[in-house]
Amino acid sequence: MGPENRTAVTEFILEGFSGLYQRLQPVLSLIFLLIYLTTVMGNTTIIFLAYADHRLQTPMYFFIGNLAFLEIWFTSSTSIKLVVILGSGRRTISLSSCFAQSYFYFALGCTEFVLLVVMSFDRYVAICQPLRYAAIMKPQLCIHLVVAAWVTGFAFLSYRLVILSQLTFCGSNEIHHFFCDNSPLFKLSCSDTSLLWKIDSVFLSFVIPGSLCLTLAFYLCILFCILHLPAASGRKKAFSTCSSHLTTLGIAYGSCIALYLCPSKDVSLENSRIVALLNTVLYPFLNPFIYSLRNKTVILALNEAIACITTQLFP
């Protein structure tokens, strides 16, 4: 059939995990829904505590609060549609919604990588230069760093919306994924996507390894400082905190490297969907527990908030 007889695509069909046993999909939908609700509640709790409790009004929790806010939107951009696909079988998504999902997914992801660099710098100053911490990490600097992270992510990724809006889709409309990721989406276009492939490859090859190297450099400096701590208990606590942080970083960066730094044509779409779950579901779920809810100060503030609310409701 010639190109002139093709019908323009007005909506896409997200395949999701259609290969799964049909009766298993509602169960998975419930599991992902519970994970999503827990993620949102955990991050919302962190934002509330960081705002309400004076003990948590520090640069570290200011950054963690921003990360928590970002994670709510990041996981919402993909998880809600995934739950709907598995639970109800409604797999359609309009072109504009698909493009918006793709933009927010990558923009929020880029913002998060910059925030992780900022947070590792904050921990480096706190551990390696504690006497100068208050002088360096002033509120004005913290605000500037956070604004820079958000502006960087959303401004730099604006090219995606411009180029995506110029693409035409006139063949198959089935996306072999549970969200509008770049590889399965680009492959459906009738237009020449080579420019978008090249821009994406250059940008992601800069953002992911660049932020990873900076983050690891700060943690390496922190490691050397920890080794020189006089008290064994202090070293143990610092090692425990850093190791848990590095675990979540391993999930985030490992999944992104596997998905976006490999040659696109060599990536199995089936494997991409499984790896993408680590990035879009597991990582946001773990973040509240790793960065905040294991902290004694946060637990104390949470217990006090619960006690206060309980007293208000049941005097």
Side-chain angles (χ1 to χ4, degrees):
M1 183 181 294
E4 66 278 1
N5 293 327
R6 291 180 178 178
T7 304
V9 172
T10 58
E11 64 180 14
F12 294 113
I13 298 174
L14 293 169
E15 185 179 278
F17 294 91
S18 57
L20 289 174
Y21 184 52
Q22 196 67 27
R23 292 185 179 179
L24 186 61
Q25 293 193 27
V27 177
L28 284 177
S29 175
L30 179 59
I31 292 173
F32 286 134
L33 177 61
L34 292 175
I35 292 175
Y36 170 71
L37 293 177
T38 303
T39 302
V40 172
M41 289 176 61
N43 284 300
T44 302
T45 300
I46 290 170
I47 295 170
F48 169 76
L49 293 176
Y51 174 79
D53 196 291
H54 66 92
R55 290 166 296 187
L56 301 181
Q57 292 172 359
T58 63
M60 180 178 75
Y61 283 100
F62 175 69
F63 296 134
I64 289 176
N66 272 273
L67 182 65
F69 179 75
L70 184 148
E71 289 294 359
I72 292 173
W73 291 104
F74 180 73
T75 191
S76 297
S77 68
T78 56
S79 294
I80 293 176
K81 188 61 179 178
L82 175 60
V83 170
V84 172
I85 290 172
L86 293 173
S88 67
R90 293 201 301 269
R91 304 174 187 276
T92 58
I93 183 171
S94 66
L95 263 69
S96 58
S97 297
C98 187
F99 296 162
Q101 185 188 58
S102 178
Y103 170 70
F104 281 108
Y105 170 78
F106 284 99
L108 289 167
C110 176
T111 302
E112 178 159 355
F113 285 141
V114 179
L115 270 178
L116 291 175
V117 174
V118 170
M119 291 171 65
S120 62
F121 169 70
D122 172 71
R123 289 300 83 205
Y124 160 74
V125 177
I127 294 175
C128 300
Q129 302 185 46
L131 298 180
R132 299 181 58 203
Y133 181 72
I136 296 175
M137 301 305 295
K138 293 180 179 179
Q140 188 176 14
L141 175 63
C142 295
I143 293 173
H144 286 166
L145 290 173
V146 166
V147 170
W150 284 92
V151 170
T152 298
F154 280 83
F156 283 6
L157 267 296
S158 59
Y159 75 87
R160 291 184 66 87
L161 280 180
V162 176
I163 300 179
L164 282 173
S165 63
Q166 297 176 350
L167 298 180
T168 56
F169 298 86
C170 51
S172 171
N173 69 336
E174 188 171 0
I175 297 177
H176 300 288
H177 214 306
F178 61 86
F179 74 99
C180 296
D181 202 0
N182 58 0
S183 178
L185 178 61
F186 296 169
K187 289 178 179 179
L188 295 182
S189 177
C190 303
S191 307
D192 181 11
T193 58
S194 57
L195 176 62
L196 193 51
W197 276 115
K198 291 176 182 177
I199 296 176
D200 259 13
S201 298
V202 171
F203 184 78
L204 294 174
S205 297
F206 172 76
V207 171
I208 298 175
S211 61
L212 176 60
C213 289
L214 286 173
T215 302
L216 291 180
F218 284 125
Y219 273 105
L220 192 61
C221 293
I222 291 171
L223 176 63
F224 286 130
C225 291
I226 291 172
L227 293 175
H228 289 89
L229 288 177
S233 59
R235 288 196 297 270
K236 183 178 179 181
K237 180 180 179 181
F239 271 127
S240 175
T241 301
C242 289
S243 63
S244 59
H245 288 186
L246 290 173
T247 300
T248 59
L249 290 176
I251 296 173
Y253 280 102
S255 59
C256 286
I257 289 172
L259 288 171
Y260 305 115
L261 295 189
C262 298
S264 301
K265 294 181 180 179
D266 297 334
V267 176
S268 165
L269 293 178
E270 188 65 35
N271 292 337
S272 293
R273 280 178 282 192
I274 297 172
V275 175
L277 285 176
L278 299 178
N279 189 34
T280 60
V281 177
L282 180 61
Y283 175 67
F285 172 74
L286 292 176
N287 263 355
F289 301 98
I290 295 296
Y291 284 105
S292 296
L293 297 180
R294 295 172 66 249
N295 185 287
K296 292 181 180 179
T297 306
V298 176
I299 295 298
L300 179 61
L302 179 60
N303 289 335
E304 290 178 358
I306 293 173
C308 181
I309 294 172
T310 303
T311 303
Q312 294 285 339
L313 294 176
F314 308 102

